Amino acid sequence: MDWMIVGGTVLRDGVLAAGEVALSGGFIAAEAAGSVRRFDATGLLVMPGLVDIHGDAHERQMQPRPGIGFPAALGMRDSAAQLLAAGITTACLGVTLSWEPGLRGIDAWRATLAAVEAARAGAGCDLRIHCRFEADNLDALDELLADMAAGRVHLLAFNDHTPGIVRRIADPAKAAAYAARAGVKAADFIALAQRAAAMRPDVPAARQRLADAARAHAIPMLSHDDATPAMRAEFRALGAAVCEFPMSEAVAEAARAEGEAVVMGAPNVVRGGSHMGWASAAPLAERGLVTVLASDYYWPAMLEAAFVMEGRGVLDLARAWALVSANPAAAAGLADRGRIAPGLRGDVVVVDAASRAPVATFAAGQLAWLAPGAVARIG
């Protein structure tokens, strides 16, 4: 079914202006072709669909409480519906592949990949895998390399949470919390963490193998939680051209000096600062030091963050929206989306600016989600 979105204010070429958007054959078209359905966007904004480069909220659908799991297929179905309701048309699901068992272990990795692949055709939202590989998880290295070669991985992030975990598990309460997430006893989790830490000498060679494979298969690479400019330089040398969640302003400055994308969380913007006590994303985005806002752990934050940025008075809505659409698409190597232009994917979100809420989400040219009461806008 082809569509014509009429009567709204369209974000096109960095400008908001009255206009129409034609969707045909899954793509944005220069004009309608033949018989089409019409969506009346009068009084609404017609914006590029949101592109989420890093979001792990799907984990809550798999394990809503520590140790309480549900089938991955059920969780993925619910995740896709929530994504579309948030205006997200491309979701790079941050799937952690860790030495930890349970939610972030190898079995969960396999189940999540299978669930995404089974759901993809009917999900509406374009579901992609952003592998967050824990540095010391060398037991899973060969399997990940095979998955990359098979086209099952779309982004590769270098994570390194093991040193922090090893420090924290000295506190019995924190060890118990990690163990609950992993579904094992605290003593067993501590032993697993110590075993992983013992593999540290082999990490550099493993990272090089992953980087070589990512380049061979054209998989964009990201570094995660870079603490210093020197650390950023190390990952840059591996080919990781995206810096996500830098731990200081100096790291963001170093990345931008090299023309690299810098990712921070949309929840940081919406909440007015980092829940971890790190840099505040909004002022860094206004200075051009943050170029991408990701959902991180809360999907509705992306759309809301664009309006929060506009309300601060430095960026207009068009520039703020680029942080959640065009810029993440470019960082993820997806040149076919993130903007409204002929020939690009038909990913559009129709938004009520007054309530900062999606009214309709079109994905790959089809109406994928509709707010209650909006059916009257269809003709």
Side-chain angles (χ1 to χ4, degrees):
M1 182 183 298
D2 290 349
W3 287 90
M4 178 67 76
I5 305 172
V6 301
T9 299
V10 182
L11 176 57
R12 187 184 278 120
D13 297 328
V15 176
L16 282 160
E20 300 179 343
V21 176
L23 303 176
S24 179
F27 299 93
I28 297 167
E31 58 185 22
S35 177
V36 297
R37 299 295 301 272
R38 294 170 69 86
F39 187 92
D40 181 5
T42 300
L44 305 175
L45 300 175
V46 182
M47 312 294 279
L50 303 180
V51 178
D52 187 12
I53 197 172
H54 175 126
D56 58 25
H58 66 279
E59 288 187 340
R60 286 199 299 274
Q61 320 314 319
M62 314 294 188
Q63 190 182 104
R65 292 184 178 179
I68 305 299
F70 285 86
L74 178 60
M76 198 53 56
R77 186 179 71 192
D78 187 35
S79 295
Q82 291 191 38
L83 285 159
L84 291 168
I88 297 171
T89 51
T90 298
C92 299
L93 302 173
V95 185
T96 301
L97 181 52
S98 175
W99 47 265
E100 301 176 61
L103 183 62
R104 297 186 167 183
I106 189 66
D107 289 337
W109 167 260
R110 293 166 181 161
T112 302
L113 262 62
V116 166
E117 288 162 359
R120 186 172 282 136
C125 179
D126 184 9
L127 302 173
R128 292 171 168 262
I129 298 297
H130 171 157
C131 177
R132 308 175 65 214
F133 185 76
E134 285 296 336
D136 301 286
N137 189 20
L138 303 188
D139 291 341
L141 181 61
D142 288 337
E143 183 165 339
L144 174 57
L145 290 168
D147 288 336
M148 291 166 66
R152 307 181 80 191
V153 176
H154 306 94
L155 294 174
L156 174 68
F158 295 101
N159 279 25
D160 193 4
H161 293 133
T162 304
I165 290 174
V166 170
R167 287 193 301 272
R168 294 185 196 105
I169 58 177
D171 179 340
K174 292 182 179 178
Y178 279 117
R181 182 175 75 181
V184 297
K185 295 180 179 179
D188 294 334
F189 185 87
I190 291 170
L192 287 169
Q194 292 171 340
R195 177 180 180 274
M199 298 186 182
R200 180 72 21 168
D202 296 324
V203 166
R207 281 182 174 156
Q208 188 63 60
R209 287 184 66 192
L210 284 169
D212 291 344
R215 283 194 297 272
H217 302 298
I219 300 171
M221 290 178 275
L222 310 86
S223 60
H224 182 79
D225 289 355
D226 291 346
T228 65
M231 184 179 293
R232 171 88 281 270
E234 291 176 6
F235 285 111
R236 181 181 303 123
L238 283 174
V242 179
C243 171
E244 61 169 4
F245 303 96
M247 294 177 65
S248 71
E249 184 175 322
V251 175
E253 289 175 338
R256 292 300 296 138
E258 296 294 329
E260 296 165 341
V262 176
V263 182
M264 290 189 76
N268 182 313
V269 170
V270 173
R271 299 180 70 253
S274 168
H275 72 284
M276 300 287 288
W278 296 350
S280 181
L284 295 184
E286 289 165 348
R287 293 168 52 198
L289 295 181
V290 167
T291 60
V292 173
L293 293 175
S295 75
D296 194 5
Y297 55 87
Y298 189 63
W299 289 315
M302 288 187 69
L303 188 146
E304 180 72 12
F307 285 102
V308 170
M309 292 298 304
E310 179 199 26
R312 287 171 56 88
V314 177
L315 303 182
D316 60 19
L317 185 58
R319 293 169 63 198
W321 204 268
L323 296 169
V324 293
S325 58
N327 294 359
L334 300 172
D336 64 341
R337 66 197 72 188
R339 297 173 293 115
I340 294 178
L344 300 188
R345 274 177 55 100
D347 293 342
V348 176
V349 58
V350 182
V351 180
D352 182 348
S355 62
R356 299 179 176 182
V359 174
T361 303
F362 293 83
Q366 296 300 311
L367 180 60
W369 179 87
L370 188 67
V375 68
R377 290 180 175 270
I378 298 174

